């Protein structure tokens, strides 16, 4: 590939008048903006077309995520969610384009400095994308070179059009129109190209990952009758994979290759063990329903779900390595360095069937949910336990290591708090007078749910009907038939866990250890 390092002779002639007359600052800023947008678009397109080429926006975003200052809780809460990932993408793109615009203004007087600026941004983007295990360093280098070349050439072209032929001359009308037309044209192409590139990239990541075999058959627990209530608008007792909530620090879905994937069990063990995907599949498998939840779920939020997880008992894997006495923490580490950690004691308590899961609702784990393998630990929030795309299990002590979210202000221990949610009716709706099915879900994994009560305005709490619990690790559905009378009403819900403890009414935000309080909605009847 030939990468222009300097202007072609013809262009040099066109650019020369810069010394005597130059584009207006606003024209130069526009030219720089368009140049920056074109460079980003090229990187998105390359990333979408060639697996292993980086999206520079994503890589810079990942760098920002990885460098949150400790205690920046608001920021930290923010990047858990999907909308916040979009916001971070947009923010990175805007800052990049803003810098490019400034360099456009610089280029009016000092072309060399502007070029140097673009090259420096390109170099920074290259360095930042190197730690990403899914990025090919050579492709990253090429992407950055092409992006910088596109930025420099676009800027030069546009400035040449915007520069009056003679000193102190005003830009004539026709040339202003040409400049604006070209800028808008290139800008629109950049936006279109960038969007197409990102769509391709998303699609590439959602394709079935390489090396997914037909999984061996394994018995699923049969559900007792009554585990599901039929109510319109109620969350299904088992959430399908494509509707399951997704939370992680990855801006794109990682696609790992099962053929090369390895899991290393090390640390305070008698012998280090490394397992391949095939090794795992050859081990005895079991399936169990477990409700997992995100610590950043707000009261009434939907970052919680129940699925049938299939895999190898974690204890069996730990036994292969032989956990040494003195090991007090299990650390799960993902391919990208993300970590979680929980007490080994959590596993030895009776009935805590933690899994190294390879299946979700019968299918191989979807890429978004951790393919090839992830941890599922009943009763613990995801951030301390549910490592997706896991590549290492390390046995250590609780004192020796704090996992990813702990130094960022989240609690070291993350048992899931008892919670309940009203799914239907939706808050704010208008209802007819008469029978209304008020229904939702309630969960206290590992303790189970013993009861759910509903309160209408100030009336006494009334018991709701429960679905037959699948087990202590899963949520239940509840139903309360309400005789609605005219007026505005507040509806609230609370659950009692399997140990008889009523969910707390004290209102707490998600940070640092999970939100508490009663989900309350208001509806108008009549
Ligand atoms: N590798 C990795 N695993 C991860 C995370 C992450 O950021 N990276 N987030 C955790 C969090 S905070 C939660 S709540 C669960 C969510 O799992 P899900 O996306 O399958 O619902 O995954 C956990 N596993
Ligand atoms: Mo989470």
């Amino acid at each position: 590939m030939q990468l222009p390092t300097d202007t072609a002779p013809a262009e040099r002639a066109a650019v020369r008048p810069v010394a005597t007359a130059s584009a207006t600052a606003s024209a130069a800023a526009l030219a720089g903006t368009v140049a920056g947008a074109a460079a980003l678009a090229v990187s998105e397109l390359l990333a979408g077309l060639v697996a292993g080429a980086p999206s520079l926006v994503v890589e810079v975003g990942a760098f920002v995520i990885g460098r949150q200052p400790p205690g920046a809780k608001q920021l930290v809460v923010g990047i858990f969610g999907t909308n916040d990932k979009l916001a971070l993408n947009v923010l990175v793109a805007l800052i990049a384009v803003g810098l490019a615009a400034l360099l456009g203004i610089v280029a009016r007087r000092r072309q060399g400095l502007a070029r140097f600026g673009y090259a420096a941004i390109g170099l920074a983007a290259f360095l930042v994308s190197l730690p990403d295990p899914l990025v090919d360093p050579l492709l990253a280098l090429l992407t950055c070179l092409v992006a910088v070349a596109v930025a420099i050439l676009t800027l030069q072209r546009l400035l040449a059009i915007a520069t009056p032929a003679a000193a102190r001359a005003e830009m004539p009308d026709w040339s202003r129109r040409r400049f604006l037309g070209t800028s808008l044209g290139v800008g629109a192409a950049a936006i279109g190209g960038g969007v197409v590139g990102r769509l391709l990239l998303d699609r590439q990541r959602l394709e079935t990952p390489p090396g997914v075999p037909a999984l061996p058959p394994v018995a699923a627990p049969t559900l007792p009758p009554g585990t599901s209530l039929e109510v319109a608008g109620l969350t299904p007792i088992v959430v399908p994979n494509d509707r399951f909530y997704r939370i992680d620090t990855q801006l794109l879905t990682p696609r790992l290759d099962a053929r090369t994937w390895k899991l290393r069990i090390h640390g305070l063990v008698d012998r280090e063990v490394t397992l391949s995907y095939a090794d795992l599949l050859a081990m005895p498998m079991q399936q169990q329903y477990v409700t997992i939840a995100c610590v950043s779920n707000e009261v009434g939020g939907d970052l919680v779900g129940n699925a049938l997880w299939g895999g190898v008992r974690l204890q069996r894997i730990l036994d292969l390595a032989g956990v040494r006495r003195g090991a007090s923490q299990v650390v799960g580490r993902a391919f990208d360095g993300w970590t979680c950690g929980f007490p080994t004691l959590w596993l030895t308590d009776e009935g805590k069937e933690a899994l190294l899961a390879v299946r979700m609702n019968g299918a191989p784990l979807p890429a978004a949910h951790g393919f090839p393998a992830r941890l599922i630990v009943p009763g613990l929030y995801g951030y301390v336990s549910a490592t997706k795309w896991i590549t290492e299990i390390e046995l250590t002590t609780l004192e020796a290591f704090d996992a990813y979210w702990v130094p960022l202000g989240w609690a070291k221990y993350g048992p899931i708090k008892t919670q309940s949610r009203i799914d239907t009716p939706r808050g704010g709706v208008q209802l007819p007078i008469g029978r209304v099915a008020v229904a939702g879900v309630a969960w206290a994994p590992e303790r189970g749910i013993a009861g759910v009560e509903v309160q209408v305005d100030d009336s006494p709490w009334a018991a709701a009907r429960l679905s037959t619990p699948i087990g202590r690790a899963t949520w239940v559905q509840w139903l309360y038939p309400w005789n609605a009378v005219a007026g505005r009403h507040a509806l609230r819900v609370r659950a009692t866990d399997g140990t008889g403890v009523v969910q707390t009414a004290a209102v707490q935000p998600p940070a640092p250890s999970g939100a508490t309080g009663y989900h309350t909605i208001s509806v108008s009847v009549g």
Side-chain angles (χ1 to χ4, degrees):
M1 182 178 327
Q2 223 193 336
L3 293 173
T5 48
D6 200 349
T7 10
E11 268 169 344
R12 199 173 287 146
V15 172
R16 182 155 304 140
V18 167
T20 46
S22 54
T24 61
S26 46
L30 177 58
T33 303
V34 171
L40 291 185
V42 161
S43 131
E44 290 298 317
L45 273 173
L46 282 175
L49 293 170
V50 188
S55 150
L56 300 183
V57 172
V58 165
E59 298 307 330
V60 172
F63 179 81
V64 172
I65 291 179
R67 239 137 288 244
Q68 299 158 78
K73 282 189 194 157
Q74 285 322 305
L75 180 66
V76 168
V77 175
I79 50 176
F80 267 118
T82 324
N83 291 336
D84 309 287
K85 288 182 182 176
L86 178 64
L88 183 60
N89 270 287
V90 170
L91 186 71
V92 168
L94 284 181
I95 290 175
V97 166
L99 280 176
L102 285 179
L103 288 170
I105 298 176
V106 169
R108 295 166 70 213
R109 300 265 183 286
R110 308 190 52 189
Q111 288 239 353
L113 186 60
R115 270 186 230 155
F116 177 79
Y118 283 148
I121 295 175
L123 177 65
F126 169 65
L127 293 177
V128 154
S129 51
L130 282 182
D132 184 338
L134 297 183
V135 162
D136 179 315
L138 195 63
L139 288 174
L141 183 65
L142 285 177
T143 303
C144 291
L145 286 175
V146 172
V148 169
V150 164
I152 290 176
L153 286 180
T154 308
L155 180 68
Q156 232 155 35
R157 236 6 254 139
L158 290 176
L159 283 184
I161 300 175
T163 302
R168 255 177 253 111
E170 287 278 300
M171 209 194 318
D173 243 13
W174 62 266
S175 98
R176 177 173 301 128
R177 272 200 302 276
R178 187 168 155 232
F179 170 70
L180 282 178
T182 315
S183 300
L184 292 182
V186 177
I191 291 173
V195 168
V196 168
R198 181 52 69 93
L199 290 177
L200 288 174
L201 185 54
D202 279 337
R203 223 183 57 184
Q204 181 197 95
R205 291 301 182 89
L206 287 179
E207 281 166 17
T208 315
V212 187
L215 293 180
V218 50
T222 39
L223 293 181
T227 47
S228 234
L229 303 177
E230 294 310 320
V231 180
L234 175 59
T235 308
I237 200 78
V238 180
V239 181
N241 292 356
D242 57 0
R243 282 178 57 191
F244 208 91
Y245 85 93
R246 173 187 169 188
I247 289 292
D248 52 67
T249 59
Q250 284 283 326
L251 286 173
L252 291 170
T253 302
R255 227 172 129 235
L256 303 195
D257 188 336
R259 294 164 302 190
T260 52
W261 175 86
K262 289 261 179 327
L263 174 68
R264 190 161 79 96
I265 302 102
H266 64 108
L268 296 174
V269 294
D270 294 334
R271 58 209 156 263
E272 206 176 299
V273 171
T274 301
L275 298 172
S276 69
Y277 191 56
D279 293 337
L280 257 191
L281 295 189
M283 295 176 74
M285 296 268 166
Q286 68 184 53
Q287 298 202 89
Q288 76 196 63
Y289 291 94
V290 178
T291 296
I292 64 168
C294 184
V295 66
S296 55
N297 197 30
E298 304 276 351
V299 172
D302 57 7
L303 302 181
V304 52
N306 184 51
L308 176 63
W309 305 97
V312 181
R313 283 183 60 215
L314 179 60
Q315 193 59 55
R316 183 182 293 274
I317 295 199
L318 297 182
D319 288 346
L320 283 181
V323 175
R324 285 222 193 119
R325 235 207 241 264
S328 52
Q329 180 172 218
V330 181
V331 171
R333 188 170 283 117
F335 80 106
D336 61 347
W338 186 89
T339 49
C340 75
F342 57 91
T344 47
L345 268 181
W346 190 265
L347 296 176
T348 48
D349 278 14
E350 180 259 324
K352 303 242 165 79
E353 293 289 351
L355 279 188
L356 181 64
V358 294
R359 296 174 184 247
M360 181 175 184
N361 291 326
L365 218 48
H369 297 287
F371 182 86
R374 73 172 306 169
L375 289 178
I376 291 292
V377 184
L380 296 181
Y381 283 123
Y383 82 105
V384 291
S385 70
T387 315
K388 305 192 274 189
W389 316 291
I390 191 167
T391 54
E392 277 178 52
I393 296 173
E394 183 180 347
L395 277 303
T396 177
T397 63
L398 288 162
E399 300 74 35
F401 183 72
D402 284 336
Y404 189 94
W405 287 109
V406 177
L408 295 167
W410 293 82
K412 173 111 182 171
Y413 303 99
I416 300 178
K417 294 182 173 167
T418 305
Q419 263 299 343
S420 49
R421 183 180 79 199
I422 303 172
D423 287 346
T424 182
R426 295 258 154 214
V429 295
Q430 177 84 34
L431 299 168
I433 293 173
R435 268 301 172 107
V436 172
V438 182
V441 284
W443 60 94
E446 273 317 305
R447 297 180 300 282
I449 293 290
V452 170
E453 295 161 291
V454 172
Q455 186 185 42
V456 180
D457 303 321
D458 296 323
S459 2
W461 288 94
R465 201 184 114 203
L466 299 190
S467 63
T468 309
I470 299 177
R472 282 188 306 152
T474 64
W475 64 12
V476 296
Q477 295 170 327
W478 56 266
L479 169 63
Y480 176 71
W482 175 40
N483 248 329
V485 295
R488 273 194 84 72
H489 301 286
L491 302 175
R492 56 183 72 82
V493 63
R494 71 179 186 195
T496 301
D497 74 11
T499 68
V501 176
V502 180
Q503 180 187 332
T504 174
V507 175
Q508 269 172 41
S513 60
T516 58
Y518 295 161
H519 187 208
T520 305
I521 63 168
S522 88
V523 294
S524 342
V525 177

